[in-house]
């Protein structure tokens, strides 16, 4: 099964694709969608949307997992982040992928073991879990962490007979 993980951001949206047989995971692709400096919000959102549509068309994931909205300190930042999540969700829906959402806390707990882990700790664990030679860029590592969180939750639910 191929899972797409997305870490939405208005300036940089990370993505990562992981293939899993239910027990072990392997990296398929990772990257960051970063709009040109100085681009308007609408141009950045279009860049994210187009980039995700291309990634989905190329790799054909069966399911997608997105980091859920968090409560930001800055209302404007949270609102802009919501726009980036929105175009990500739209790209996933239009591709017909099943969608799952996980809180940042749940993602960090699944990958690092505790919810207050820093980005460096997440990147380190992703490197170890996927056997990478180097740590991926932070936004891509976060996206891969979302995908792995989903795979772990999926496996747990299957073991418990849940959907």
């Amino acid at each position: 099964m191929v899972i797409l993980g997305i870490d939405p951001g208005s300036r940089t949206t990370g993505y990562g694709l992981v293939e899993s047989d239910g027990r072990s995971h392997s990296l398929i692709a990772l990257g960051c969608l970063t709009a040109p400096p100085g681009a308007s919000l609408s141009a950045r959102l279009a860049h994210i949307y187009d980039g995700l549509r291309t990634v989905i068309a190329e790799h054909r994931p069966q399911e997608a997992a997105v980091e859920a909205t968090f409560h930001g300190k800055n209302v404007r930042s949270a609102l802009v982040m919501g726009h980036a999540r929105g175009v990500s969700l739209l790209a996933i829906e239009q591709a017909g992928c099943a969608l799952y959402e996980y809180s940042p806390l749940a993602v960090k707990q699944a990958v690092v073991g505790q919810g207050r882990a820093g980005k460096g700790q997440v990147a380190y664990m992703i490197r170890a879990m996927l056997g990478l030679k180097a740590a991926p860029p932070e936004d891509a590592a976060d996206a891969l962490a979302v995908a792995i969180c989903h795979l772990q939750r999926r496996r747990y639910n299957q073991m418990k007979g849940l959907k």
Side-chain angles (χ1 to χ4, degrees):
M1 168 165 281
V2 176
I3 304 297
L4 168 64
I6 299 174
D7 177 38
S10 66
R11 302 232 179 257
T12 301
T13 291
Y15 69 87
L17 290 117
V18 177
E19 185 168 22
S20 179
D21 61 7
R23 292 177 189 258
S24 63
H25 314 310
S26 60
L27 175 69
I28 294 175
L30 62 85
C32 296
L33 302 170
T34 304
S40 66
L41 176 59
S42 59
R44 294 191 320 251
L45 295 174
H47 182 77
I48 293 166
Y49 175 77
D50 292 341
L52 288 176
R53 294 232 357 179
T54 299
V55 167
I56 292 168
E58 182 177 341
H59 297 287
R60 304 259 183 231
Q62 286 83 25
E63 297 177 351
V66 179
E67 191 169 85
T69 305
F70 64 94
H71 299 290
K73 296 176 187 174
N74 180 323
V75 174
R76 177 162 167 61
S77 295
L79 183 61
V80 172
M81 170 79 82
H83 293 319
R85 283 190 76 255
V87 296
S88 300
L89 299 179
L90 177 61
I92 293 165
E93 178 64 28
Q94 287 185 336
C97 286
L99 171 67
Y100 300 86
E101 298 181 67
Y102 299 97
S103 71
L105 180 72
V107 171
K108 290 174 182 178
Q109 285 176 332
V111 174
V112 180
Q114 57 105 3
R116 301 251 183 242
K119 285 189 172 283
Q121 290 173 295
V122 171
Y124 177 85
M125 288 304 295
I126 291 301
R127 178 183 176 197
M129 292 172 114
L130 295 176
L132 305 178
K133 292 182 180 182
E138 287 179 347
D139 293 305
D142 288 349
L144 289 166
V146 175
I148 289 172
C149 174
H150 174 64
L151 286 165
Q152 290 177 354
R153 184 74 54 92
R154 191 175 202 289
R155 185 165 185 231
Y156 175 81
N157 288 344
Q158 286 175 340
M159 290 178 3
K160 295 293 183 184
L162 305 171
K163 190 168 182 178

